[in-house]
Amino acid sequence: KENYASGELAATYGIRCNSTYGSHQFYYKNGDLSGEYKMENSLLKSYKSYDEQGQLLVEGSYLTNAREGQWNYYYPEGNKMSVFTYSSNQLNGKEYQYYENGKIRLEGNYYKGELHGPRKYYSPSWNLQLIKHYVAYVGPVGYQYQLPDGQLSDTIKININGKYAIKAYYRNGKPSVVQDYQDYYFSGKSVFYDENGKIQRVSNFKNGDLDGD
């Protein structure tokens, strides 16, 4: 066991034959469970994390101390926020992110830690906003959006060098996504719109890194 300096229980550990084994549990000062590791022969097997209200926030599994398989992340209200797939601690496989109403916000795929293949973005009412095409270790190479007849546009190639903007549209002709790029990196604003042309969210980027919302 381990206690906070003020005396409250902070953690309990499982030991068997000088190896960490079983459940390792961590607690908030109020006594509620904050996280739990399952161990076997001193190797991590699984992990769960909770908020102070007891809601599950994260759950996933390990193989030889590296994240492996599906990891689930949750909103504080309990709905699923995102799902990522890991292999040897690298993102590798399907990715899903959700709105708080449970509808898919985006779906894509990773290969050895890099985005690879089509990544689809949806509005909260689940209308397609954008399909962006990625090549692992290169970056985004093209994009598509839905035309008024419901068909996808031809793939629009993304410029490798210099400044440019991605501009995609809903079937009704209103803008769905506008994103500024410098070379292969976000640089400037990323704006998502709803089907009526109202701004849904805005993010600012600098050299590929988030620079405030």
Side-chain angles (χ1 to χ4, degrees):
K1 292 183 179 181
E2 185 176 330
N3 288 43
Y4 289 104
S6 51
E8 297 91 344
L9 180 65
T12 60
Y13 304 100
I15 303 292
R16 180 188 292 180
C17 299
N18 295 320
S19 295
T20 50
Y21 204 96
S23 178
H24 291 210
Q25 297 180 323
F26 302 86
Y27 299 88
Y28 293 107
K29 280 192 173 184
N30 65 4
D32 291 336
L33 188 67
S34 66
E36 181 179 24
Y37 286 100
K38 293 291 180 69
M39 307 285 293
E40 189 174 308
N41 296 325
S42 298
L43 295 176
L44 288 166
K45 301 298 290 183
S46 65
Y47 171 70
K48 291 183 178 181
S49 173
Y50 304 86
D51 66 15
E52 293 188 66
Q53 285 69 49
Q55 174 59 49
L56 179 66
L57 296 178
V58 183
E59 61 178 345
S61 57
Y62 288 87
L63 182 64
T64 59
N65 286 338
R67 283 174 290 184
E68 187 75 20
Q70 181 173 303
W71 278 65
N72 300 317
Y73 299 81
Y74 299 89
Y75 286 106
E77 295 77 15
N79 288 338
K80 193 170 286 186
M81 181 169 62
S82 56
V83 177
F84 293 96
T85 307
Y86 287 87
S87 178
S88 300
N89 219 38
Q90 282 189 318
L91 287 167
N92 197 75
K94 290 292 185 180
E95 163 207 22
Y96 298 95
Q97 296 188 35
Y98 300 85
Y99 290 104
E100 291 185 61
N101 64 10
K103 292 185 180 295
I104 292 177
R105 184 169 73 86
L106 68 84
E107 56 182 327
N109 190 75
Y110 280 85
Y111 175 72
K112 294 185 177 180
E114 296 284 330
L115 285 166
H116 185 72
R119 199 179 199 216
K120 299 179 181 180
Y121 299 76
Y122 299 92
S123 72
S125 53
W126 218 56
N127 286 309
L128 182 66
Q129 293 178 306
L130 172 70
I131 301 176
K132 200 182 299 183
H133 298 276
Y134 286 84
V135 173
Y137 305 107
V138 175
V141 295
Y143 68 98
Q144 295 173 282
Y145 54 87
Q146 234 175 355
L147 298 171
D149 62 4
Q151 299 299 310
L152 290 176
S153 69
D154 292 335
T155 300
I156 302 167
K157 292 185 178 180
I158 290 178
N159 188 13
I160 297 175
N161 299 304
K163 292 184 177 181
Y164 57 94
I166 284 178
K167 296 181 180 180
Y169 301 87
Y170 288 109
R171 288 184 62 178
N172 63 10
K174 292 186 180 295
S176 58
V177 182
V178 177
Q179 295 178 326
D180 295 324
Y181 273 81
Q182 173 72 47
D183 304 324
Y184 276 125
Y185 300 102
F186 282 127
S187 188
K189 289 188 179 296
S190 173
V191 185
F192 283 78
Y193 299 86
D194 67 16
E195 293 86 345
N196 298 313
K198 184 179 178 180
I199 292 176
Q200 180 186 342
R201 67 180 184 276
V202 180
S203 301
N204 296 290
F205 290 84
K206 186 176 181 180
N207 299 324
D209 296 320
L210 192 63
D211 190 32
D213 286 335

